[in-house]
């Protein structure tokens, strides 16, 4: 059986959020829309996103690094969200393995979100239904589009080609070759969900930093002797 999926290269993801914005733009006006943001900027923001990029700082100063980790529905081969759905709204397509939600059947009970160990499902506060990544099903199944355009919006938008798309059951596909040759791995395989999406690991480059490099010798404040306040009016005191 065909199993369409994404393979995300963590080594070249720069956390630009182009995948997030392109996903939002395409899907809010497409088959899966609308995707509302009622309070996107408050202390407790609400909004529906199919794809999010989580950023982490790891290590101990000065040996630190920033890791950008895109995450969406993993389109598991054994999706736990499907059997718990009381209405059959959550289902897995037999022809391409994409996990979807039938909004006409969904009652917003959140059972699927509780069953998903990856936190990939969100309740649309306006529509009162559960929503998630669809792999842009309306694009990839549109025979009128060119082969290049029959890809998820996030894949087309990524400026570093960190997102690959294809059939992970086809050993000769681009995604299968990348997984096999570059050590691709599944997220939390111990749950037995068999995620279709894979990640390519980061290639760590070690950099030695001497203690002298942590102190700025040519500090302009010290060079120009501006470390003491003389009482004179400065640009900071001027009301523009």
């Amino acid at each position: 059986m065909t199993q369409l999926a994404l393979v995300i290269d963590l080594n070249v993801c720069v956390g630009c959020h182009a995948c997030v914005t392109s996903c939002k733009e395409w899907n809010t006006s497409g088959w899966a829309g609308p995707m509302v943001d009622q309070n996107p900027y408050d202390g407790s923001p609400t909004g529906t996103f199919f794809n999010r990029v989580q950023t982490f700082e790891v290590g101990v100063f000065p040996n630190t690094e920033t890791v950008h980790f895109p995450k969406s529905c993993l389109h598991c081969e054994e999706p736990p969200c499907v059997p718990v759905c009381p209405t059959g709204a959550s289902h897995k397509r037999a022809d391409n393995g994409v996990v979807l939600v039938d909004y006409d059947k969904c009652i917003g009970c959140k059972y699927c979100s509780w069953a998903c160990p990856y936190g990939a499902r969100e309740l649309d506060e306006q529509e009162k239904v559960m929503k998630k990544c669809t792999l842009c099903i309306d694009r990839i199944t549109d025979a009128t589009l060119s082969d290049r355009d029959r890809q998820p919006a996030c894949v087309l938008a990524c400026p570093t080609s960190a997102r690959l798309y294809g059939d992970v059951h086809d050993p000769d596909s681009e995604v299968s070759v990348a997984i096999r040759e570059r050590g691709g791995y599944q997220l939390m395989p111990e749950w037995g969900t068999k995620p279709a999406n894979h990640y390519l690991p980061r290639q760590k480059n070690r950099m030695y930093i001497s203690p002298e490099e942590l102190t700025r010798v040519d500090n302009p404040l010290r060079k120009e002797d501006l470390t003491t306040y003389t009482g004179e009016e400065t640009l900071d005191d001027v009301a523009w």
Side-chain angles (χ1 to χ4, degrees):
M1 181 186 79
T2 299
Q3 178 60 66
L4 300 178
L6 297 174
V7 172
I8 301 172
D9 189 349
L10 299 179
N11 198 53
V12 296
C13 176
V14 295
C16 67
H17 287 249
C19 57
V20 177
T21 55
S22 63
C23 169
K24 187 85 165 180
E25 179 183 18
W26 174 264
N27 286 291
T28 196
S29 58
W31 169 82
M35 296 166 59
V36 297
D37 286 317
Q38 293 182 335
N39 297 293
Y41 303 113
D42 291 344
S44 300
T46 60
T48 306
F49 287 85
F50 289 175
N51 178 53
R52 296 179 184 269
V53 177
Q54 300 173 340
T55 299
F56 306 93
E57 296 288 340
V58 298
V60 179
F61 180 82
N63 297 311
T64 60
E65 58 181 324
T66 301
V67 177
H68 303 293
F69 195 88
K71 193 177 71 172
S72 60
C73 173
L74 303 176
H75 298 280
C76 303
E77 297 194 44
E78 298 292 338
C81 57
V82 171
V84 301
C85 181
T87 64
S90 291
H91 62 283
K92 185 177 179 67
R93 286 184 53 147
D95 58 339
N96 54 29
V98 177
V99 178
L100 297 173
V101 178
D102 186 337
Y103 300 147
D104 292 331
K105 296 180 180 179
C106 180
I107 58 176
C109 66
K110 299 184 181 179
Y111 280 5
C112 58
S113 65
W114 296 336
C116 176
Y118 308 106
R121 290 178 173 241
E122 303 181 7
L123 176 67
D124 188 307
E125 296 290 346
Q126 178 173 298
E127 302 292 316
K128 301 301 181 183
V129 295
M130 303 304 297
K131 293 189 176 182
K132 54 173 285 300
C133 166
T134 67
L135 271 187
C136 292
I137 192 69
D138 50 340
R139 291 183 64 100
I140 63 177
T141 58
D142 188 348
T144 64
L145 296 177
S146 65
D147 290 342
R148 177 192 178 279
D149 289 333
R150 291 183 67 179
Q151 300 185 77
C154 61
V155 175
L156 295 173
C158 183
T160 62
S161 299
R163 304 174 75 89
L164 307 177
Y165 161 75
D167 181 8
V168 293
H169 283 181
D170 179 2
D172 298 322
S173 67
E174 180 183 18
V175 289
S176 293
V177 172
I179 293 170
R180 184 169 59 249
E181 295 184 354
R182 301 177 58 189
Y185 63 91
Q186 297 172 319
L187 187 62
M188 298 164 57
E190 63 272 15
W191 285 98
T193 60
K194 299 181 181 179
N197 287 8
H198 285 66
Y199 291 88
L200 302 181
R202 287 170 54 85
Q203 299 174 2
K204 293 186 176 182
N205 295 319
R206 296 295 181 184
M207 179 176 64
Y208 174 75
I209 302 177
S210 64
E212 293 78 12
E213 293 177 309
L214 300 179
T215 303
R216 184 172 177 177
V217 179
D218 60 339
N219 190 324
L221 295 180
R222 295 185 180 278
K223 182 180 295 184
E224 300 174 16
D225 195 23
L226 298 177
T227 55
T228 57
Y229 181 62
T230 62
E232 299 177 359
E233 186 180 73
T234 67
L235 290 177
D236 294 331
D237 301 318
V238 177
W240 296 92

